[in-house]
Amino acid sequence: MRTIKAKPLTAEAFRPYGSYASMTDPSGNCFDSGESAFYPDPVMLAVSGREQIAFSPLTVKKPEKMIVRAAEYHNWTGEGIFFIDDDAVMHVAPPSKHVVTPEKTEAFLVPKGTLVKLNTGVWHLSPYPVHKNLLHLMIIMPERVYGNDCIVCEFKEEDYLEIVL
């Protein structure tokens, strides 16, 4: 039997085989709102055709109250969300014709370790952590959807929603 020694994972050593990025301690390009931090496209996976799938870490701080003030949707793609290290509350509303529909919003308790697939057009925004002060998620969708197919709509103050457990 031949023996090989495991070595530390480094970008240089692993380059011939692929790429990697930490999902729980992300670094690099970041869109930070103060409440959440999105690290777009650190790992890419080419699939059939010309599309690449991106795996982008998202960290979300636990708010004092779960207040929904906005939602987003994507016209041309669904979205995968992997709930890495905490149970979380996710809010969604059915697709509509470019009109935000807070009155149709529902909230779901998603167990950690769950991968959720959102259909194209479903209204959503960052989930909220239940137990931990910081929730780690992985967003899975085609490269640069956040830049070319992401419509975010702010709610009127009278349409804000508070989610309770």
Side-chain angles (χ1 to χ4, degrees):
M1 176 184 338
R2 196 177 82 155
T3 301
I4 60 171
K5 182 171 175 56
K7 55 186 169 186
L9 182 64
T10 66
E12 183 178 339
F14 196 71
R15 187 171 292 116
Y17 309 106
S19 62
Y20 65 92
S22 174
M23 297 295 138
T24 57
D25 189 21
S27 62
N29 186 27
C30 177
F31 303 133
D32 191 342
S33 72
E35 294 176 3
S36 63
F38 179 63
Y39 296 82
D41 307 342
V43 176
M44 307 287 265
L45 176 65
V47 292
S48 296
R50 298 181 325 190
E51 284 293 330
Q52 289 197 94
I53 301 300
F55 298 82
S56 303
L58 172 63
T59 58
V60 181
K61 294 178 183 174
K62 186 175 186 175
E64 195 172 303
K65 292 183 174 186
M66 292 182 275
I67 307 293
V68 180
R69 296 177 176 90
E72 73 177 30
Y73 70 95
H74 312 291
N75 276 314
W76 309 111
T77 189
E79 179 174 336
I81 304 172
F82 178 53
F83 293 75
I84 297 173
D85 62 353
D86 195 7
D87 300 334
V89 175
M90 179 174 71
H91 62 90
V92 292
S96 61
K97 197 160 180 108
H98 310 294
V99 177
V100 68
T101 55
E103 70 280 1
K104 294 182 179 179
T105 299
E106 295 187 78
F108 294 92
L109 184 58
V110 181
K112 75 176 178 180
T114 301
L115 175 63
V116 170
K117 189 249 333 176
L118 294 178
N119 293 333
T120 302
V122 168
W123 289 94
H124 64 285
L125 209 56
S126 298
Y128 300 101
V130 172
H131 306 290
K132 296 185 174 190
N133 288 326
L134 190 66
L135 169 65
H136 292 90
L137 304 155
M138 185 184 322
I139 305 301
I140 306 161
M141 56 188 171
E143 176 184 19
R144 289 202 37 79
V145 164
Y146 57 86
N148 60 34
D149 182 24
C150 185
I151 295 83
V152 180
C153 293
E154 302 286 329
F155 292 179
K156 296 176 187 170
E157 192 169 348
E158 61 265 22
D159 290 330
Y160 287 2
L161 303 164
E162 181 178 2
I163 300 172
V164 295
L165 297 177

